[in-house]
């Protein structure tokens, strides 16, 4: 065997020995991947929010139609979906104790197209451009305020309306709530804080928990 061949075999042997050493010293282990990598999460922007509410003990269901749920339940709708709801059915459901969470979405539907807004005495105005707000919001029963980041061009006014929720920056209210009969309506400028990419940030998840009623279906 020539010296060159011997050196080649020595080099190959060294590489194999190093590989065996690495394999022996470093165990193989399982790596957990976020459930947000799943196909369901990629097709449902509220997947993480749903899982969170279920882990907290609330019953959740994704409704495919626009029929109001039972009066004691909370109903999350976006401005694009509320147009599908019969206004009379919505009114009856709210008066009987339903809680409606109505969020602006990214479809471009204007708040002026929501027929019930005027009936509730709420006005939606638009800033010239979206404004970012880092907020500390005090809520009953919590020693420290909620830490939130919200951004939108929509702001709400409710002159003469008794409010149950009011989250604002220097430009006005981004979220407000008010009673309707035995029920309640909460309107928010957008649904960004409860989407998969934001629900785990700051206190966004706790805000959702409190808005839905802390355990209401």
């Amino acid at each position: 065997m020539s010296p060159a061949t011997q050196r080649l075999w020595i080099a190959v042997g060294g590489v194999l020995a190093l590989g065996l050493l690495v394999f022996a010293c470093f165990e193989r282990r399982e790596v957990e991947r976020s459930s947000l990598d799943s196909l369901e999460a990629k097709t449902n922007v509220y997947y993480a929010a749903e899982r969170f509410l279920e882990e907290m003990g609330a019953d959740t269901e994704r409704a495919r139609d626009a029929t109001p749920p039972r009066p004691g339940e909370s109903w999350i709708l976006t401005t694009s979906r509320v147009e599908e709801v019969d206004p009379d059915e919505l009114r009856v459901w709210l008066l009987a104790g339903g809680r409606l969470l109505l969020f602006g979405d990214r479809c471009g539907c204007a708040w002026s197209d929501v027929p019930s807004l005027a009936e509730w005495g709420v006005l939606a105005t638009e800033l010239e451009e979206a404004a970012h707000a880092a907020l500390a919001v005090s809520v009953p029963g919590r020693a420290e305020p909620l830490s939130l980041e919200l951004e939108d061009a929509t702001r709400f006014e409710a002159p003469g309306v008794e409010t149950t929720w009011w989250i604002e920056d220097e430009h006005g209210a981004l979220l407000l709530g008010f009673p309707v009969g035995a029920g309640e309506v909460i309107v928010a400028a957008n649904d960004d804080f409860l989407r998969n990419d934001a629900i785990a940030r700051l206190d966004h998840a706790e805000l959702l928990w409190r808005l839905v009623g802390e355990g209401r279906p």
Side-chain angles (χ1 to χ4, degrees), residues 15-210:
V15 171
L16 291 174
L18 180 60
L20 290 172
L21 179 63
V22 170
F23 184 81
C25 294
F26 296 94
E27 296 181 358
R28 301 170 71 182
R29 63 184 179 87
E30 293 184 0
V31 177
E32 292 187 6
R33 297 185 64 187
S34 168
S35 60
L36 297 184
D37 295 330
S38 68
L39 177 61
E40 185 175 3
K42 292 177 180 177
T43 57
N44 174 12
V45 297
Y46 310 118
Y47 177 77
E50 290 174 19
R51 298 291 78 76
F52 163 71
L53 292 175
E54 290 172 357
E55 288 293 327
M56 292 292 289
D59 293 329
T60 67
E61 179 184 356
R62 286 195 80 200
R64 301 298 180 181
D65 56 31
T67 302
R70 290 182 290 273
E73 298 181 346
S74 295
W75 195 14
I76 299 176
L77 285 176
T78 61
T79 47
S80 60
R81 290 299 306 276
V82 74
E83 295 178 342
E84 304 172 19
V85 183
D86 183 286
D88 293 331
E89 290 185 359
L90 180 61
R91 185 181 303 109
V92 169
W93 176 73
L94 286 169
L95 292 173
R99 175 179 290 196
L100 175 65
L101 278 64
L102 182 58
F103 300 110
D105 59 18
R106 299 176 182 177
C107 74
C109 298
W111 280 95
S112 58
D113 295 331
V114 179
S116 300
L117 211 61
E119 176 185 334
W120 296 328
V122 177
L123 304 174
T125 59
E126 296 293 322
L127 306 175
E128 292 184 359
E129 59 183 19
H132 177 269
L135 304 170
V137 178
S138 298
V139 293
R142 195 180 198 273
E144 299 295 328
L146 294 176
S147 179
L148 310 171
E149 284 188 0
L150 306 175
E151 182 174 1
D152 204 273
T154 299
R155 296 296 185 274
F156 299 104
E157 299 176 24
V161 176
E162 174 192 356
T163 56
T164 54
W165 277 88
W166 190 279
I167 297 179
E168 66 177 350
D169 64 0
E170 65 271 22
H171 303 290
L174 292 112
L175 182 152
L176 60 86
F178 47 92
V180 177
E184 184 177 11
V185 174
I186 298 170
V187 295
N190 61 52
D191 62 353
D192 288 355
F193 76 94
L194 59 84
R195 289 174 170 253
N196 291 337
D197 57 356
I199 187 69
R201 296 179 55 223
L202 304 176
D203 294 320
H204 294 174
E206 183 174 347
L207 174 62
L208 174 62
W209 176 245
R210 290 175 177 270

